[in-house]
Amino acid sequence: MLAAPTPEEAAAALAGRLAAQAALTDQEGGFPTEEFQWLGAAGLLTAPLSQALGGAGLLAPPQTLSMLRTLKHLGRGNLAVGRVYEGHLNALQLTQRFGQPAQVQRWAADARQGRLFGVWNTEAQDGVHLEPLPEGRFRLRGSKTFGSGAGHLTRPLITGALPDGGWQMFILPADEQLPTLDASFWKPLGMRATASFRVDLTGAEIGPQDLLGPPGAYYQQPWFSGGAIRFAAVQLGAAEAVFDETRRFLRDLGRLDDPYQKMRLGEMAMLVESGNLWLRGAADHATRPAAEADVAATIAYANLMRTAIEEICLRTLQLAERCVGARGLLRPEPFERLHRDLTHYLRQPAPDAAVADAGRFVLAHPTPAHSLWNA
């Protein structure tokens, strides 16, 4: 009997199918609903669960490289799918890390039933507040912005302020406590199909069984900043898609013998492969025995990796545009959508601070360059 595909193999097998359908959901308010059914059928929605919980153990440290490659393949197929899946994976990681045993079992059962998780942390001035009620319950007040998957996530992990200023995670059963969605908020350059609306939670109520971890757990390091390696892997997948489509476009036009196109494709190949080496380096660094104790080094390496992937993606886009010209940026060619989606997704928070953090680390550690990251 053949062994079941690994999550990495399942994601790689789905990438082409995701790409073929990506244009259909590329509209404001769109969402890749059918695509997530495919992910569920392939076992990818439960893959982040431990094997004891019925998953594939994709979050176990020895599987970090496979996890990153799984995210990369989904980003290669459809960046919106990759982004939402990364949030699903992140939420299940946090539930397993900080949840009480009964909570972990309940949320794992939700994932096995096909419920989609995600993380809603970003907010504006009207952020979420938890107002105490009797018996350890809370009434919610306020909104989250960039609530990716709004209207489709039934188990979003949300953060909010306690009366004493603590920052508390909770899982909202959004199929029972329906938030108010403001789709007019989401008028983006790209990533239209992530349905990242403003989500008003005012009036919803949660109980102690919905609270996840102690106040402040969401920002615990190195996991918070170190998680940047996950979204960078999704971004690299989109760069690979740009490379593949550029080569296909030139082949269709019969431009393979042009020396300048050869030069551009050579540079693009170098960029993409360097990104894959960064994935391997990030996985090796994140899984070393001292990763959790050596917080500063783990964060600094993750910041280097996300910065390198950003530069790889930006340069890949620039080279692809020169290769395909104005003709290639006309629909139904995929470049216009890929460019919009990747450009938008690359705008992750605090890119300059990420580089500065890595600089502070290396300035504070006089270790020779050849062994700086080997501790």
Side-chain angles (χ1 to χ4, degrees):
M1 180 181 294
L2 294 176
T6 66
E8 180 182 343
E9 292 168 341
L14 277 175
R17 194 178 177 192
L18 293 171
Q21 183 145 313
L24 298 180
T25 55
D26 180 34
Q27 53 187 306
E28 291 175 4
F31 189 80
T33 304
E34 185 177 9
E35 289 86 332
F36 274 94
Q37 293 173 355
W38 301 345
L39 266 62
L44 287 167
L45 296 185
T46 56
L49 299 175
S50 69
Q51 293 182 348
L53 293 171
L58 190 59
L59 294 170
Q63 300 301 316
T64 301
L65 181 58
S66 181
M67 176 195 70
L68 295 177
R69 287 173 173 169
T70 298
L71 290 166
K72 183 188 71 168
H73 286 309
L74 295 178
R76 176 166 63 88
N78 183 334
L79 204 56
V81 172
R83 187 270 170 270
V84 175
Y85 182 77
E86 189 276 326
H88 175 81
L89 184 150
N90 187 21
L92 288 179
Q93 183 176 54
L94 290 167
T95 61
Q96 292 173 91
R97 177 173 294 138
F98 295 112
Q100 298 297 317
Q103 292 179 308
V104 172
Q105 291 288 342
R106 173 162 51 90
W107 290 323
D110 286 339
R112 292 194 299 268
Q113 292 167 11
R115 290 188 169 91
L116 192 58
F117 287 69
V119 177
W120 295 345
N121 180 55
T122 307
E123 59 186 38
Q125 291 81 4
D126 60 339
V128 171
H129 295 264
L130 282 68
E131 300 176 340
L133 297 172
E135 301 179 348
R137 296 185 60 80
F138 293 89
R139 180 177 293 117
L140 306 179
R141 173 175 55 83
S143 301
K144 289 291 182 181
T145 55
F146 298 98
S148 292
H152 303 272
L153 270 61
T154 53
R155 293 295 182 270
L157 185 156
I158 306 171
T159 53
L162 294 165
D164 63 2
W167 197 243
Q168 178 66 51
M169 292 188 288
F170 59 93
I171 302 284
L172 179 73
D175 49 354
E176 302 170 9
Q177 299 271 354
L178 300 178
T180 300
L181 308 181
D182 178 9
S184 67
F185 169 82
W186 190 234
K187 304 292 184 184
L189 168 69
M191 301 291 278
R192 297 171 180 174
T194 59
S196 300
F197 305 150
R198 179 187 294 274
V199 183
D200 190 348
L201 303 170
T202 301
E205 295 186 9
I206 57 174
Q209 74 279 5
D210 302 312
L211 302 180
L212 175 60
Y218 180 75
Y219 288 114
Q220 281 191 20
Q221 298 287 19
W223 301 297
F224 176 69
S225 298
I229 65 176
R230 295 192 306 269
F231 68 68
V234 181
Q235 293 167 347
L236 181 63
E240 287 192 348
V242 171
F243 173 85
D244 289 339
E245 289 294 340
T246 303
R247 187 174 50 181
R248 188 268 316 161
F249 183 84
L250 294 176
R251 182 178 294 116
D252 290 349
L253 288 181
R255 299 294 302 278
L256 299 182
D257 291 331
D258 185 302
Y260 300 106
Q261 299 289 22
K262 290 179 181 178
M263 181 185 69
R264 295 184 190 117
L265 264 293
E267 184 176 348
M268 290 172 69
M270 177 188 68
L271 290 165
V272 168
E273 181 58 15
S274 65
N276 280 301
L277 293 174
W278 271 107
L279 256 61
R280 181 178 291 277
D284 289 346
H285 203 261
T287 56
R288 73 197 195 285
E292 291 187 18
D294 195 357
V295 172
T298 300
I299 294 173
Y301 198 93
N303 282 333
L304 287 178
M305 184 266 206
R306 65 169 279 192
T307 303
I309 297 294
E310 178 189 11
E311 294 181 356
I312 286 166
C313 290
L314 290 171
R315 180 59 179 162
T316 299
L317 285 173
Q318 183 184 51
L319 289 166
E321 290 171 6
R322 292 181 181 179
C323 285
V324 305
R327 181 187 302 182
L329 298 178
L330 298 175
R331 290 187 292 269
E333 294 291 347
F335 296 104
E336 181 260 355
R337 173 181 50 81
L338 287 168
H339 185 102
R340 284 188 290 103
D341 283 356
L342 184 52
T343 299
H344 191 100
Y345 193 34
L346 286 172
R347 294 305 100 222
Q348 293 292 330
D352 299 322
V355 180
D357 176 82
R360 281 193 297 271
F361 176 82
V362 298
L363 285 171
H365 292 75
T367 309
H370 74 274
S371 59
L372 185 60
W373 307 107
N374 296 332

